[in-house]
Amino acid sequence: MIDSNLVCVNKLILAELVTAMHHKKEWHLIEIFSEIECLDLHINWYDIIDLQKKNLESGINQVGVPDLIIAQNSIYHQVPLYTFDKHFQLMSNVCGLTLI
C-alpha cells in the first residue's frame, strides 16, 4: 500500500509510530514513514466529545483522546483507517469511521 501511494498519515499517528520504531531501531521504517503524505491535523473538539459520548453510551470504555483525534480526523478527511487497535473496530460500529 505504501509503494502504491495509498497511505497517508498525520502528525499524531507519526508521533505514535515513529517513537515505537525508534525504540526498536527500525531506521528504514522511520525513513519510509517520513516520506508518506501527511494530512493536516484537524481537531474539532465538539466532534471528539460527541464521539466519546457515543462510545460510552455503547459500552466502549477507556478510549484515549489520541485515538479519538485519529478517528475524528479519519472521518473528517473521509479516509479509511488501517489499524489493529480494537478500539477503532468498536468505534466503527457507532460512528462514520471506515476501516481497512
Side-chain angles (χ1 to χ4, degrees):
M1 288 174 39
I2 291 173
D3 290 341
S4 298
N5 200 29
L6 298 174
V7 177
C8 60
V9 294
N10 63 38
K11 297 290 185 184
L12 179 57
I13 292 170
L14 283 178
E16 289 188 343
L17 292 177
V18 170
T19 302
M21 289 179 220
H22 190 288
H23 180 70
K24 295 178 181 181
K25 296 180 172 62
E26 295 174 329
W27 313 121
H28 180 66
L29 287 177
I30 293 171
E31 184 178 321
I32 290 171
F33 272 82
S34 69
E35 296 174 5
I36 295 174
E37 178 185 358
C38 195
L39 295 177
D40 290 334
L41 194 58
H42 173 85
I43 299 176
N44 182 318
W45 292 110
Y46 296 107
D47 288 347
I48 291 169
I49 291 167
D50 186 55
L51 179 55
Q52 185 70 308
K53 181 181 169 192
K54 288 177 183 176
N55 285 338
L56 294 173
E57 289 171 349
S58 299
I60 305 168
N61 300 313
Q62 299 179 342
V63 178
V65 172
D67 284 353
L68 292 168
I69 292 171
I70 291 169
Q72 181 260 323
N73 269 265
S74 178
I75 294 166
Y76 173 80
H77 287 289
Q78 299 178 347
V79 295
L81 184 64
Y82 182 82
T83 182
F84 293 111
D85 188 320
K86 69 176 183 171
H87 285 133
F88 293 109
Q89 180 66 45
L90 295 170
M91 283 191 280
S92 71
N93 295 322
V94 298
C95 65
L97 181 62
T98 304
L99 302 178
I100 294 178

